[in-house]
Amino acid sequence: MEQGEAAPPAAEEKGGEEDDFGYRLFPDRNKKPQSFLVRSLFTFHNRCQLMLRMTLDTNPYAQLLLEAMKQSGCTVFNDRHFSCEDCDGCVSGGFDSATSQIVLCQNNIRHQSHMNRVVTHELIHAFDHCRAHVDWFKNVKHLACSEIRAANLSGDCTLMNEISRFKFGLKGHHQTCVRDRAIRSILAVRKVSKETAEKAVDEVFDACFNDLEPFGRIPHSKTDAKRAYKDFQNRDRYNANL
């Protein structure tokens, strides 16, 4: 999860206190769906839908992930697997493993580049959910691994994004950014201590940071993502001819 992105079902109990699995951040998750007519009257919802369509049609990060999921047997359908909803003010999106839906926070995503990053981040969680037996509910290390991968591969920690946060790069800054954002993401949806989140991230960091599937590289820019997408398509054609 990017700060601003959360995986609603990823949480655990602490000290006997019942956890809500992060759903408090996504109040619309438990509401009865509104009719199309009612939803169409809200500008936020319309804008969210238009930006989502633009991302799915033009963003190479999202296009690669959609194709990779399809090849893994988890085809993504716009109407089924994405939901534009109002959320808590601190999050921009989340992956709900219970429904296999990506939640897009229509009240918090304000521009196209933000939508691109949120969709990519959450599609990485969805890809991990598709390809592996991720225990989002009880195993904080599983959550930590997916958050590391999402921060590493989605563009969350690009130089421009970090400069916009007034954080300027030193040697190893990308790794530091990935670690910090993974920890913050865990703390947003899990009732665990900071020490527990840090320990989980540190224990799986090397393996998960170096797991670059399906990109095959860290896409530091849209140009990198386009190359990764082309390489992925060529890899598929090669495998098909074996």
Side-chain angles (χ1 to χ4, degrees), residues 4 7 25 27 29 45 63 75-76 88 90-91 97 99 115 139 148 152 162 178 180 193 197 203 211-212 220:
L25 304 175
R29 288 275 81 191
H45 189 80
Q63 290 174 326
T75 300
V76 176
D88 184 275
C90 71
V91 295
S97 66
T99 59
M115 175 64 79
N139 194 325
I148 290 166
N152 189 30
E162 282 292 89
V178 169
D180 290 348
S193 67
E203 286 181 354
D211 179 1
L212 305 180
H220 291 290

Side-chain angles (χ1 to χ4, degrees), residues 90-217:
C90 71
V91 295
S92 300
F95 174 65
D96 186 348
S97 66
T99 59
S100 295
Q101 276 192 320
I102 288 172
V103 184
L104 301 170
C105 298
Q106 60 194 19
N107 56 318
N108 295 331
I109 300 175
R110 315 234 171 196
H111 49 81
Q112 189 63 50
S113 61
H114 191 191
M115 175 64 79
N116 292 344
R117 195 168 68 247
V118 173
V119 170
T120 300
H121 186 112
E122 302 309 334
L123 278 173
I124 292 169
H125 289 320
F127 176 76
D128 288 347
H129 184 70
C130 173
R131 70 170 181 155
H133 298 291
V134 181
D135 187 350
W136 303 99
F137 293 92
K138 296 179 180 179
N139 194 325
V140 69
K141 290 183 184 179
H142 286 193
L143 174 61
C145 187
S146 192
E147 293 296 358
I148 290 166
R149 281 176 32 75
N152 189 30
L153 300 173
S154 67
D156 290 351
C157 289
T158 61
L159 177 61
M160 292 308 298
N161 283 332
E162 282 292 89
I163 289 175
S164 72
R165 300 172 189 130
F166 301 102
K167 295 182 179 180
F168 302 95
L170 300 171
K171 184 176 181 181
H173 183 75
H174 179 77
Q175 289 90 331
T176 300
C177 171
V178 169
R179 180 183 181 275
D180 290 348
R181 296 187 73 77
I183 291 168
R184 292 173 67 184
S185 296
I186 293 169
L187 292 175
V189 295
R190 289 281 192 109
K191 291 184 178 179
V192 298
S193 67
K194 185 176 180 182
E195 290 74 20
T196 297
E198 289 175 340
K199 183 173 184 290
V201 168
D202 290 342
E203 286 181 354
V204 301
F205 188 86
D206 288 344
C208 299
F209 183 84
N210 290 305
D211 179 1
L212 305 180
E213 286 299 310
F215 290 90
R217 68 183 76 191

